[in-house]
Each structure stands twice: as C-alpha cells, then as structure tokens.
Amino acid sequence: EVQLQASGGGLVQAGGSLRLSCAASGFTFDDYAIGWFRQAPGKEREGVSCISMSESSTYYADSVKGRFTISSDNAKNTVYLQMNSLKPEDTAVYYCAADRYCGAPYGMKYWGKGTLVTVSS
C-alpha cells in the first residue's frame, strides 16, 4: 500500500520558516519522484517543487525560487521542503505526491493528505 504522510505545517509570521516532511512507503523510493503542491482557497492547485530520486533532478516554481529548498533523505524514505522567508501568499494546504518522474503528464499518481501552512502578516 502506497502511503504519503505530509507533516510540519503550522502558523508562522511573515518572514519566518517552516520545514515540511513527506514520509513515503509502499514503493521503491529511489525509483520515484516526489513533488510538493499547494492549494489556497479559491485558487487552483499549483506545483511548488519536485525532486526526482531516479533522475537526480529538482524543480521549483518561480514564486518560491531562492526561498524554498527541496531535499531527500533516502535512508528514511523522506522528502523535505525547507521554506524560508515565508509570505502571506504562501498560505495554503500543502500536499506531497509521488510518481515515476516530475512533470507526469496527467498529474502525480499517488497523493497524501495535506498539511496546512498559514503565514500571517
């Protein structure tokens, strides 16, 4: 059974930092990619970042470049999203998802439940 467990969300002030974690199980971690997505009220879901363990590549949305860093701990089957210099516009439910590679044409195959990030001004 594929499981993706996102955690680490919370309430922070603008300019603060949070680290999100995505613990994965049920698939061969090193052969997959894991991405972070977010959805704010009234807005479409957007891709934030992705790391491909199979291709050794990363992706960042323009809105978070220079502020967010994605990384993996393969021994723990866990992907992290370090979020610095947070802005109110970053407020959203953050989801992690997995597939064979970043940019899967019809979206990621496996999804976990989201974790809420709220950034106050």
Side-chain angles (χ1 to χ4, degrees), residues 29-109:
F29 188 82
D30 291 352
D31 293 338
Y32 278 76
I34 290 180
W36 287 98
F37 300 79
R38 67 187 183 187
Q39 188 165 26
K43 296 184 178 180
E44 295 184 350
R45 186 178 65 203
E46 63 174 334
V48 176
S49 186
C50 187
I51 182 167
S52 173
M53 277 63 73
S54 61
E55 301 292 336
S56 299
S57 60
T58 58
Y59 162 84
Y60 297 95
D62 288 343
S63 60
V64 306
K65 286 181 179 177
R67 300 189 297 122
F68 292 9
T69 303
I70 192 168
S71 62
S72 65
D73 185 337
N74 292 15
K76 295 183 177 181
N77 286 3
T78 300
V79 167
Y80 304 97
L81 185 68
Q82 179 67 45
M83 305 187 296
N84 298 327
S85 302
L86 283 162
K87 304 175 180 180
E89 293 77 25
D90 296 317
T91 295
V93 177
Y94 284 70
Y95 302 86
C96 62
D99 210 323
R100 288 284 189 174
Y101 51 91
C102 296
Y106 295 100
M108 296 296 223
K109 185 174 183 179

